[in-house]
Amino acid sequence: MKLSVRAGLSGVAAAAVALGLAEVVAVLAGPLSAPLLAVGGVVVDNVPGPVKDVGVAVFGVHDKTALITGTAILLAAYAWGLGVVAVRHWRLALAGIALFGLIGVLAAVTRHDAGALAALPSVVGAAVAVPVLHLLLRLAVPGRGFVPEDPASSADADPAASRLDAEDRRRFLRALGVAAAATALGGIGGRLLTSSRAVTQARQAVRLPEPAAPAPRVPAAAQARGAVAYVTSNDDFYRIDTALYPPQIDPSTWRLRVHGMVRNPITLTWDELLRRPMVQRYVTLACVSNEVGGDLIGNALWLGTPIKQLLDEVQPLPGADQVVQRSSDGWTCGSPTAVLRDGRDALLAVGMNGRPLPVEHGFPVRVVVPGLYGYVSACKWITEIELTRFADFDAYWVPRGWSQRAPVKTESRIDTPRDGASRTAGTVTVAGVAWAQHRGIDRVEVQVDDGPWQTATLASTVSADTWRQWSWQWPATAGEHSVQVRATDATGETQTSTPAPPDPDGATGYHRVSVTIT
Ligand SMILES: Nc1nc2c(c(=O)[nH]1)N[C@H]1C(S)=C(S)[C@@H](COP(=O)(O)O)O[C@H]1N2
Ligand SMILES: [Mo]
């Protein structure tokens, strides 16, 4: 093993121990104060939004793992370099560690919900990295040893330093092993302690009130064979947000402040919220970054109190055309005041499919608005509602290139057959979903190759606020076929065939699948 490799490994090991310990300290200071998550959060908030793929990547939940892994790899490369530099320029390495700590501190303390101890994990991590690196380098540089205060006496002055004898090598490797174990222990222990402090228990203790206005029963005929489930289970419901770790909010400390351009600002507690009249409604939620044919859409039974009544109570001032919703982690979205007051079932929701909101879906309280994409309406972990003007405030995604206003576009999707599937000739069921929330779906048509548009059978539905399933029996003949679908909403408007990407206000175009009939 070359000296530079030993030095690089020492740097990486020191950084790893620092991060592991920071995880433990973060149990006190909050999960998002741990340097990796804190820096990852800054990356999330600052990647250029208009770049479509990046925007979608950051929206997406699976990419969070990729983001953290990427941050860790960059950090490892930096730490490797620090180790190599440290052999000859210890002071420079110290400065490098301090810089690393400072970045972590800045990332953690500038968070919206940063606590008083937010800086601690990064400070402790950086402080521990120094002696660990020093110790490892002493073992990595044999002979007269690593004397950082006197670079001339260390490694490069001593040709023998580039080699370790068997005994020294064993000692060095053992030290690396100890560092790895300490890292794993700190990291895993920290995570376990953090999750034990999560709000899981508070959530389990919640008793949801009975709705004053229950939802209509879902008729069996709402489900078309071959389409996804009409009601999406909580586990299957798509998740999209910028939170690297979902905010943990204890309902007993939760408050909702309603303020801004209003005559009567109010603050609600959890108990006050639960005492308000509750309605139960099926609403289909869709993400603006859903591609044509994508699955960032789901339909759930929400329990909540109408936002309209709340707005009536606070009495918005004339000109307050935007309702800004803010979550505990500082994310914002803005909905038109007129839309929230037009009588539709815009809810401050506490229940999802008969359960308290899952933590990932906004526990304890979120907003659901039929007919608006999630990024302009569906604030999770909501703690603040501010009446303002569209001209005066841009919510989170707007400066990142997405539209201020984004009603859901009429769209449709083929769930069966899947793209690339094979079937035998004869009657083939084509089925899927179509949606135009709050307008409703009036017609779905299917086209095979260049044939005529054929009217599909619409399943029943409980309201215009959910997606509607459809099916069509296709007399399929042998060959390669292309099948596409289009929907017409209850205003009479047929979805446009013109393909458009999700940004800035929702994808358009017909969903098409290729099917082989044998
Ligand atoms: N606090 C917060 N709320 C948020 C978001 C977010 O990033 N942070 N993302 C929004 C977006 S873009 C969508 S599509 C919906 C998704 O809600 P879900 O994860 O429950 O499906 O939440 C919305 N509410
Ligand atoms: Mo979204």
Side-chain angles (χ1 to χ4, degrees):
M1 207 193 291
K2 281 171 54 184
L3 173 61
S4 61
V5 174
R6 300 195 301 267
L9 285 175
S10 300
V12 173
V17 170
L19 290 183
L21 189 69
E23 286 293 333
V24 177
V25 179
V27 174
L28 293 174
L32 288 167
S33 64
L36 264 190
L37 282 189
V39 172
V42 172
V43 175
V44 168
D45 288 347
N46 291 286
V47 287
V51 185
K52 189 201 75 188
D53 293 335
V54 180
V56 172
V58 172
F59 267 130
V61 63
H62 296 299
D63 304 276
K64 285 175 182 163
T65 320
L67 177 75
I68 295 298
T69 312
T71 310
I73 289 171
L74 277 181
L75 186 73
Y78 179 74
W80 181 283
L82 270 189
V84 173
V85 165
V87 175
R88 294 196 181 93
H89 309 285
W90 178 247
R91 290 249 168 75
L92 194 59
L94 282 184
I97 293 174
L99 179 67
F100 153 76
L102 187 68
I103 292 173
V105 166
L106 286 178
V109 301
T110 51
R111 292 197 50 80
H112 178 79
D113 50 357
L117 300 177
L120 209 57
S122 292
V123 170
V124 171
V128 159
V130 175
V132 173
L133 180 61
H134 192 267
L135 187 103
L136 286 170
L137 286 178
R138 281 219 322 261
L139 296 172
V141 183
R144 285 195 291 147
F146 169 65
V147 185
E149 294 75 19
D150 180 8
S153 74
S154 73
D156 46 343
D158 182 356
S162 61
R163 288 191 49 82
L164 285 187
D165 63 30
E167 171 82 8
D168 287 341
R169 148 115 45 85
R170 261 196 302 278
R171 276 174 48 194
F172 176 64
L173 289 179
R174 208 178 305 132
L176 280 187
V178 170
T183 304
L185 214 67
I188 295 169
R191 284 285 120 184
L192 283 180
L193 284 172
T194 295
S195 55
S196 75
R197 296 186 124 218
V199 290
T200 327
Q201 287 191 343
R203 178 174 174 268
Q204 276 158 6
V206 166
R207 293 283 159 270
L208 293 177
E210 289 298 317
R217 270 176 53 93
V218 177
Q223 181 68 49
R225 263 185 64 193
V228 294
Y230 176 75
V231 180
T232 315
S233 71
N234 289 357
D235 284 344
D236 289 342
F237 210 94
Y238 79 94
R239 175 190 168 194
I240 295 289
D241 53 61
T242 61
L244 289 177
Y245 190 84
Q248 307 288 312
I249 305 174
D250 192 317
S252 65
T253 58
W254 178 85
R255 296 285 182 279
L256 179 70
R257 208 175 135 224
V258 189
H259 66 115
M261 293 175 63
V262 299
R263 203 155 285 131
N264 289 324
I266 58 170
T267 298
L268 281 180
T269 66
W270 172 246
D271 288 336
E272 286 163 352
L273 179 74
L274 292 193
R275 278 199 296 272
R276 297 178 70 88
M278 291 282 160
V279 304
Q280 199 182 29
R281 294 290 182 261
Y282 287 97
V283 176
T284 297
L285 199 64
C287 183
V288 69
S289 47
N290 195 31
E291 304 273 355
V292 171
D295 57 6
L296 299 180
I297 178 164
N299 184 39
L301 175 62
W302 308 96
L303 175 76
T305 190
I307 294 178
K308 179 183 189 313
Q309 290 175 17
L310 197 65
L311 292 178
D312 289 348
E313 284 168 36
V314 298
Q315 297 178 39
L317 298 177
D321 60 354
Q322 180 177 217
V323 177
V324 172
Q325 311 160 24
R326 190 171 280 112
S327 64
S328 74
D329 63 355
W331 186 85
T332 51
C333 64
S335 320
T337 311
V339 166
L340 299 189
R341 303 185 84 180
D342 73 359
R344 73 182 73 196
D345 289 313
L347 303 179
L348 262 180
V350 294
M352 183 176 183
N353 290 326
R355 309 273 306 132
L357 292 177
V359 173
E360 296 77 20
H361 293 290
F363 180 79
V365 187
R366 75 169 306 166
V367 173
V368 176
V369 182
L372 299 183
Y373 285 119
Y375 87 104
V376 289
S377 70
C379 189
K380 306 192 273 189
W381 313 290
I382 190 170
T383 55
E384 206 181 313
I385 290 178
E386 182 178 354
L387 275 288
T388 178
R389 295 188 179 93
F390 275 109
D392 292 344
F393 184 79
D394 283 338
Y396 187 92
W397 283 110
V398 176
R400 291 167 173 82
W402 299 76
S403 299
Q404 268 192 331
R405 296 166 195 253
V408 174
K409 294 178 178 174
T410 302
E411 267 295 332
S412 51
R413 184 183 76 194
I414 299 170
D415 288 347
T416 192
R418 297 247 162 234
D419 189 34
S422 307
R423 292 285 191 279
T424 46
T427 303
V428 169
T429 298
V430 183
V433 287
W435 59 92
Q437 289 94 312
H438 205 59
R439 297 185 298 280
I441 292 293
D442 257 13
R443 188 165 72 244
V444 171
E445 295 158 291
V446 182
Q447 184 188 42
V448 178
D449 303 323
D450 295 324
W453 283 98
Q454 312 269 355
T455 304
T457 305
L458 289 180
S460 52
T461 181
V462 295
S463 78
D465 292 343
T466 79
W467 55 18
R468 189 153 188 192
Q469 309 209 330
W470 56 268
S471 62
W472 179 65
Q473 301 303 318
W474 171 25
T477 53
E480 295 285 330
H481 297 288
S482 153
V483 181
Q484 57 179 352
V485 64
R486 71 178 184 197
T488 301
D489 66 30
T491 71
E493 196 165 329
T494 301
Q495 70 178 84
T496 173
S497 61
T498 312
D503 67 302
D505 61 1
T508 59
Y510 294 165
H511 186 214
R512 174 203 301 259
V513 295
S514 299
V515 185
T516 308
I517 302 294
T518 52

